[in-house]
Amino acid sequence: MAALPEYAWRLAPDGYATRRQLRAMGLRPGGQDVAAELRRPRKRRGPLIAYLYRVELAKPVRPMTPGRTAALAKAMRARRTCPNCRRDAGYCIPPSLGMCVACDAAGQTAA
């Protein structure tokens, strides 16, 4: 396997982008392999590595379909629903509590 080209942090040439940068441009990697990597040294740990993709090989982001929109809404509704009081908390229930803050403060347990 050939080694990937490495660049210093913030010194990548034009034509390369990270996943987040591609997404900001309305693109996605589209199945292409990683083309290069950025390395940022750190003092007490290993270096930070960011993978780069070729912009010209990137494909447009797929549009959101009504089915995907409905599935995402259902998943988010499930994350906001308290298992104890069965109400929509208006925020995602913290996994550390397992219930809404009101139920946790009241000392209720999961049924």
Side-chain angles (χ1 to χ4, degrees):
M1 181 171 133
L4 293 175
E6 287 184 16
Y7 300 103
W9 202 254
R10 297 182 187 263
L11 295 177
D14 291 337
Y16 290 102
T18 63
R19 282 182 179 268
R20 287 186 181 191
Q21 291 169 336
L22 287 175
R23 187 62 185 215
M25 292 184 257
L27 301 171
R28 61 186 168 96
Q32 66 173 299
D33 291 331
V34 174
E37 58 183 43
L38 290 175
R39 287 187 174 264
R40 178 180 175 202
R42 297 190 291 181
K43 291 186 179 190
R44 292 187 172 88
R45 295 183 278 173
L48 287 176
I49 298 173
Y51 297 111
L52 299 173
Y53 300 90
R54 300 295 309 216
V55 175
E56 68 268 5
L57 298 177
K59 296 180 180 176
V61 174
R62 293 182 187 124
M64 192 65 115
T65 63
R68 289 173 66 191
T69 303
L72 182 59
K74 183 178 177 182
M76 291 306 294
R77 190 169 41 254
R79 289 184 67 193
R80 291 191 314 259
T81 303
C82 177
N84 288 342
C85 60
R86 301 284 184 207
R87 286 185 291 174
D88 186 343
Y91 54 87
C92 290
I93 305 294
S96 59
L97 297 179
M99 61 187 83
C100 66
V101 176
C103 289
D104 184 58
Q108 297 178 5
T109 59

